[in-house]
Amino acid sequence: MPALDDLLAGLHVVSIPMRVRFRGVEVREAALLHGPSGWGEFSPFLEYQPPEASRWLSAAIEAAYGAWPAPRRTHVPVNATVPAVAPDRVPGVLARFDGATTAKVKVAERGQSVQDDVDRVAAVRDALGPAGRIRVDANGGWSVQQATEALRRLSAYGLEYAEQPCASVEELRDLRVALARSGIDVLVAADESIRKAEDPIRVARLEAADLVVVKVAPLGGVHRALAVVEACRLPAVVSSALDTSVGMSAGVALAAALPDLDHACGLGTVALLEGDVVDPPLEPRGGVLPVGRVQADESLLERWAAPADRVRWWRERVSSCHALLDDATVIP
């Protein structure tokens, strides 16, 4: 594992505004590491404490100092991501995702109603047409009863699956039973129950999901995420954590290494940022992303450089997380 001084010597902190408020985030901050293998991204959300955020640092170190698994494909299909916007804004959001025929739609937004969700999903269906795929993401915002009723209404628009409709693994398990008993044909995907869990395999053991959503950074790197997918033995969708193109390239590497890839991946969210650190940014063309490493652009690092106080904050955060890692927790 690299020494802390080496990490800090190659550290750049950026602050990039969002085009649309997403997950409550209006400005995305990220710390980028430069090492012998290239660039890695350390960008856990600000509220994450060191025990959780340290996994994100492990992933960044893997990218900057290690090697990713050999790819099985040269391009990865991606979905569009529709935040909790009004229906009239949906076409403009979808237009940023060139060639995407699948859309993930945020639902269960605090302060909004199920009718807001229905109207948004209906607008997406109108924009994509009958052949487009739609998945919804509640980020654990519903109870089992609320999810059952919401998915009953939303299923009229033909859902590919519902991502993390309830917060706990037990609730996801109970929801699958409730949906089956009610004749509601919607698959359940686990996201937070995988990436924020001490035991991500528990989802599979309790038969709480039909598929898993995996993110590289929260799971500690491409190798570790691939191991989780193999252990779960469920279909997998690779997603991002609102990354710059540097972090996104690690997600693409994971998707490229999966034995099977039957679903478009949530790796197109660079389009939600006002800027990026790579030129050209890693955005989908024709609905796909190319597989391979990217190079941060020095001029863009300067353009989006965070203020000095935020740089100090991120350096301290890297230090706190580094102290929790050892050679066994970082895969070369």
Side-chain angles (χ1 to χ4, degrees), residues 124-150:
V124 173
R125 174 55 70 203
D126 286 343
L128 289 183
R133 293 186 177 188
I134 298 176
R135 56 188 68 157
V136 295
D137 182 6
N139 290 117
W142 288 324
S143 67
V144 173
Q145 181 178 353
Q146 289 170 330
T148 303
E149 179 55 31

mmCIF file of all heavy atoms in Angstrom, residues 124-150:
data_model
loop_
_atom_site.group_PDB
_atom_site.id
_atom_site.type_symbol
_atom_site.label_atom_id
_atom_site.label_comp_id
_atom_site.label_asym_id
_atom_site.label_seq_id
_atom_site.Cartn_x
_atom_site.Cartn_y
_atom_site.Cartn_z
ATOM 1 N N VAL A 124 -41.259 9.774 -18.875
ATOM 2 C CA VAL A 124 -40.130 8.996 -19.397
ATOM 3 C C VAL A 124 -40.614 7.974 -20.411
ATOM 4 O O VAL A 124 -40.004 7.787 -21.476
ATOM 5 C CB VAL A 124 -39.359 8.319 -18.247
ATOM 6 C CG1 VAL A 124 -38.291 7.375 -18.795
ATOM 7 C CG2 VAL A 124 -38.717 9.361 -17.336
ATOM 8 N N ARG A 125 -41.720 7.306 -20.101
ATOM 9 C CA ARG A 125 -42.261 6.329 -21.045
ATOM 10 C C ARG A 125 -42.649 7.014 -22.362
ATOM 11 O O ARG A 125 -42.372 6.484 -23.445
ATOM 12 C CB ARG A 125 -43.468 5.623 -20.423
ATOM 13 C CG ARG A 125 -44.220 4.670 -21.357
ATOM 14 C CD ARG A 125 -43.298 3.620 -21.964
ATOM 15 N NE ARG A 125 -42.849 2.645 -20.974
ATOM 16 C CZ ARG A 125 -41.740 1.917 -21.098
ATOM 17 N NH1 ARG A 125 -40.965 2.056 -22.173
ATOM 18 N NH2 ARG A 125 -41.386 1.056 -20.170
ATOM 19 N N ASP A 126 -43.245 8.183 -22.279
ATOM 20 C CA ASP A 126 -43.597 8.920 -23.496
ATOM 21 C C ASP A 126 -42.353 9.242 -24.316
ATOM 22 O O ASP A 126 -42.364 9.144 -25.549
ATOM 23 C CB ASP A 126 -44.323 10.216 -23.138
ATOM 24 C CG ASP A 126 -45.751 9.983 -22.677
ATOM 25 O OD1 ASP A 126 -46.283 8.879 -22.933
ATOM 26 O OD2 ASP A 126 -46.320 10.902 -22.060
ATOM 27 N N ALA A 127 -41.290 9.620 -23.631
ATOM 28 C CA ALA A 127 -40.063 10.018 -24.333
ATOM 29 C C ALA A 127 -39.325 8.822 -24.926
ATOM 30 O O ALA A 127 -38.786 8.907 -26.038
ATOM 31 C CB ALA A 127 -39.149 10.775 -23.379
ATOM 32 N N LEU A 128 -39.295 7.701 -24.208
ATOM 33 C CA LEU A 128 -38.553 6.524 -24.673
ATOM 34 C C LEU A 128 -39.338 5.677 -25.661
ATOM 35 O O LEU A 128 -38.740 4.938 -26.454
ATOM 36 C CB LEU A 128 -38.132 5.655 -23.484
ATOM 37 C CG LEU A 128 -37.043 6.180 -22.554
ATOM 38 C CD1 LEU A 128 -36.734 5.135 -21.482
ATOM 39 C CD2 LEU A 128 -35.777 6.554 -23.312
ATOM 40 N N GLY A 129 -40.664 5.754 -25.563
ATOM 41 C CA GLY A 129 -41.483 4.892 -26.404
ATOM 42 C C GLY A 129 -41.667 3.521 -25.785
ATOM 43 O O GLY A 129 -41.060 3.196 -24.756
ATOM 44 N N PRO A 130 -42.462 2.685 -26.412
ATOM 45 C CA PRO A 130 -42.798 1.381 -25.816
ATOM 46 C C PRO A 130 -41.623 0.422 -25.696
ATOM 47 O O PRO A 130 -41.652 -0.488 -24.862
ATOM 48 C CB PRO A 130 -43.866 0.824 -26.768
ATOM 49 C CG PRO A 130 -43.651 1.553 -28.058
ATOM 50 C CD PRO A 130 -43.177 2.914 -27.677
ATOM 51 N N ALA A 131 -40.594 0.593 -26.511
ATOM 52 C CA ALA A 131 -39.467 -0.345 -26.482
ATOM 53 C C ALA A 131 -38.420 0.026 -25.426
ATOM 54 O O ALA A 131 -37.549 -0.790 -25.102
ATOM 55 C CB ALA A 131 -38.801 -0.412 -27.858
ATOM 56 N N GLY A 132 -38.477 1.234 -24.890
ATOM 57 C CA GLY A 132 -37.486 1.656 -23.906
ATOM 58 C C GLY A 132 -37.665 0.929 -22.585
ATOM 59 O O GLY A 132 -38.769 0.491 -22.227
ATOM 60 N N ARG A 133 -36.570 0.794 -21.851
ATOM 61 C CA ARG A 133 -36.619 0.156 -20.532
ATOM 62 C C ARG A 133 -36.597 1.227 -19.450
ATOM 63 O O ARG A 133 -35.829 2.195 -19.543
ATOM 64 C CB ARG A 133 -35.429 -0.785 -20.343
ATOM 65 C CG ARG A 133 -35.445 -2.011 -21.262
ATOM 66 C CD ARG A 133 -34.309 -2.940 -20.890
ATOM 67 N NE ARG A 133 -34.306 -4.166 -21.686
ATOM 68 C CZ ARG A 133 -33.512 -5.198 -21.464
ATOM 69 N NH1 ARG A 133 -32.644 -5.156 -20.452
ATOM 70 N NH2 ARG A 133 -33.568 -6.271 -22.227
ATOM 71 N N ILE A 134 -37.421 1.027 -18.426
ATOM 72 C CA ILE A 134 -37.488 1.973 -17.313
ATOM 73 C C ILE A 134 -37.276 1.220 -16.009
ATOM 74 O O ILE A 134 -37.913 0.193 -15.758
ATOM 75 C CB ILE A 134 -38.845 2.702 -17.271
ATOM 76 C CG1 ILE A 134 -39.060 3.524 -18.550
ATOM 77 C CG2 ILE A 134 -38.925 3.617 -16.046
ATOM 78 C CD1 ILE A 134 -40.425 4.194 -18.619
ATOM 79 N N ARG A 135 -36.394 1.737 -15.184
ATOM 80 C CA ARG A 135 -36.208 1.229 -13.823
ATOM 81 C C ARG A 135 -36.369 2.414 -12.870
ATOM 82 O O ARG A 135 -36.071 3.555 -13.235
ATOM 83 C CB ARG A 135 -34.825 0.592 -13.666
ATOM 84 C CG ARG A 135 -33.686 1.525 -14.018
ATOM 85 C CD ARG A 135 -32.317 0.877 -14.046
ATOM 86 N NE ARG A 135 -32.137 -0.071 -15.134
ATOM 87 C CZ ARG A 135 -30.932 -0.402 -15.612
ATOM 88 N NH1 ARG A 135 -29.822 0.159 -15.128
ATOM 89 N NH2 ARG A 135 -30.831 -1.280 -16.584
ATOM 90 N N VAL A 136 -36.875 2.167 -11.673
ATOM 91 C CA VAL A 136 -37.037 3.241 -10.696
ATOM 92 C C VAL A 136 -36.128 2.987 -9.511
ATOM 93 O O VAL A 136 -35.804 1.842 -9.177
ATOM 94 C CB VAL A 136 -38.508 3.371 -10.225
ATOM 95 C CG1 VAL A 136 -39.401 3.794 -11.383
ATOM 96 C CG2 VAL A 136 -39.020 2.079 -9.592
ATOM 97 N N ASP A 137 -35.705 4.066 -8.867
ATOM 98 C CA ASP A 137 -34.786 3.979 -7.736
ATOM 99 C C ASP A 137 -35.352 4.803 -6.589
ATOM 100 O O ASP A 137 -35.473 6.026 -6.693
ATOM 101 C CB ASP A 137 -33.409 4.494 -8.150
ATOM 102 C CG ASP A 137 -32.387 4.386 -7.027
ATOM 103 O OD1 ASP A 137 -32.705 3.807 -5.973
ATOM 104 O OD2 ASP A 137 -31.258 4.883 -7.212
ATOM 105 N N ALA A 138 -35.703 4.130 -5.493
ATOM 106 C CA ALA A 138 -36.305 4.804 -4.337
ATOM 107 C C ALA A 138 -35.299 5.099 -3.237
ATOM 108 O O ALA A 138 -35.664 5.743 -2.243
ATOM 109 C CB ALA A 138 -37.442 3.956 -3.775
ATOM 110 N N ASN A 139 -34.074 4.620 -3.358
ATOM 111 C CA ASN A 139 -33.049 4.834 -2.327
ATOM 112 C C ASN A 139 -33.558 4.477 -0.930
ATOM 113 O O ASN A 139 -33.264 5.171 0.051
ATOM 114 C CB ASN A 139 -32.542 6.275 -2.338
ATOM 115 C CG ASN A 139 -31.705 6.590 -3.565
ATOM 116 O OD1 ASN A 139 -32.079 7.442 -4.367
ATOM 117 N ND2 ASN A 139 -30.584 5.910 -3.748
ATOM 118 N N GLY A 140 -34.343 3.394 -0.848
ATOM 119 C CA GLY A 140 -34.824 2.932 0.450
ATOM 120 C C GLY A 140 -35.882 3.813 1.075
ATOM 121 O O GLY A 140 -36.101 3.746 2.289
ATOM 122 N N GLY A 141 -36.566 4.625 0.273
ATOM 123 C CA GLY A 141 -37.472 5.627 0.818
ATOM 124 C C GLY A 141 -38.864 5.155 1.177
ATOM 125 O O GLY A 141 -39.648 5.928 1.738
ATOM 126 N N TRP A 142 -39.226 3.913 0.880
ATOM 127 C CA TRP A 142 -40.578 3.426 1.130
ATOM 128 C C TRP A 142 -40.596 2.338 2.200
ATOM 129 O O TRP A 142 -39.634 1.575 2.349
ATOM 130 C CB TRP A 142 -41.170 2.837 -0.147
ATOM 131 C CG TRP A 142 -41.542 3.810 -1.220
ATOM 132 C CD1 TRP A 142 -42.058 5.059 -1.063
ATOM 133 C CD2 TRP A 142 -41.415 3.601 -2.632
ATOM 134 N NE1 TRP A 142 -42.278 5.642 -2.286
ATOM 135 C CE2 TRP A 142 -41.903 4.776 -3.269
ATOM 136 C CE3 TRP A 142 -40.961 2.541 -3.434
ATOM 137 C CZ2 TRP A 142 -41.934 4.911 -4.650
ATOM 138 C CZ3 TRP A 142 -40.993 2.668 -4.810
ATOM 139 C CH2 TRP A 142 -41.473 3.848 -5.412
ATOM 140 N N SER A 143 -41.710 2.236 2.886
ATOM 141 C CA SER A 143 -41.988 1.051 3.690
ATOM 142 C C SER A 143 -42.458 -0.044 2.741
ATOM 143 O O SER A 143 -42.707 0.204 1.554
ATOM 144 C CB SER A 143 -43.078 1.355 4.717
ATOM 145 O OG SER A 143 -44.319 1.600 4.045
ATOM 146 N N VAL A 144 -42.623 -1.254 3.251
ATOM 147 C CA VAL A 144 -43.114 -2.345 2.410
ATOM 148 C C VAL A 144 -44.493 -2.016 1.851
ATOM 149 O O VAL A 144 -44.767 -2.218 0.660
ATOM 150 C CB VAL A 144 -43.146 -3.671 3.208
ATOM 151 C CG1 VAL A 144 -43.822 -4.772 2.392
ATOM 152 C CG2 VAL A 144 -41.739 -4.087 3.601
ATOM 153 N N GLN A 145 -45.376 -1.501 2.706
ATOM 154 C CA GLN A 145 -46.730 -1.164 2.257
ATOM 155 C C GLN A 145 -46.696 -0.046 1.210
ATOM 156 O O GLN A 145 -47.384 -0.123 0.179
ATOM 157 C CB GLN A 145 -47.586 -0.746 3.449
ATOM 158 C CG GLN A 145 -49.027 -0.402 3.077
ATOM 159 C CD GLN A 145 -49.873 -0.045 4.293
ATOM 160 O OE1 GLN A 145 -49.427 -0.170 5.439
ATOM 161 N NE2 GLN A 145 -51.103 0.401 4.063
ATOM 162 N N GLN A 146 -45.893 1.003 1.464
ATOM 163 C CA GLN A 146 -45.796 2.100 0.500
ATOM 164 C C GLN A 146 -45.218 1.623 -0.821
ATOM 165 O O GLN A 146 -45.696 2.013 -1.893
ATOM 166 C CB GLN A 146 -44.918 3.211 1.081
ATOM 167 C CG GLN A 146 -45.546 3.981 2.226
ATOM 168 C CD GLN A 146 -44.544 4.894 2.908
ATOM 169 O OE1 GLN A 146 -43.341 4.618 2.955
ATOM 170 N NE2 GLN A 146 -45.050 6.005 3.461
ATOM 171 N N ALA A 147 -44.210 0.774 -0.753
ATOM 172 C CA ALA A 147 -43.587 0.273 -1.978
ATOM 173 C C ALA A 147 -44.557 -0.579 -2.776
ATOM 174 O O ALA A 147 -44.613 -0.479 -4.014
ATOM 175 C CB ALA A 147 -42.332 -0.533 -1.634
ATOM 176 N N THR A 148 -45.323 -1.393 -2.078
ATOM 177 C CA THR A 148 -46.283 -2.254 -2.777
ATOM 178 C C THR A 148 -47.291 -1.413 -3.538
ATOM 179 O O THR A 148 -47.592 -1.673 -4.711
ATOM 180 C CB THR A 148 -46.991 -3.184 -1.779
ATOM 181 O OG1 THR A 148 -46.020 -3.956 -1.072
ATOM 182 C CG2 THR A 148 -47.950 -4.112 -2.495
ATOM 183 N N GLU A 149 -47.830 -0.390 -2.887
ATOM 184 C CA GLU A 149 -48.826 0.451 -3.540
ATOM 185 C C GLU A 149 -48.213 1.280 -4.667
ATOM 186 O O GLU A 149 -48.788 1.406 -5.747
ATOM 187 C CB GLU A 149 -49.487 1.374 -2.510
ATOM 188 C CG GLU A 149 -50.522 2.320 -3.091
ATOM 189 C CD GLU A 149 -51.617 1.618 -3.873
ATOM 190 O OE1 GLU A 149 -51.959 0.463 -3.525
ATOM 191 O OE2 GLU A 149 -52.139 2.218 -4.845
ATOM 192 N N ALA A 150 -47.024 1.856 -4.411
ATOM 193 C CA ALA A 150 -46.377 2.668 -5.442
ATOM 194 C C ALA A 150 -46.033 1.832 -6.664
ATOM 195 O O ALA A 150 -46.259 2.249 -7.812
ATOM 196 C CB ALA A 150 -45.126 3.320 -4.869
#
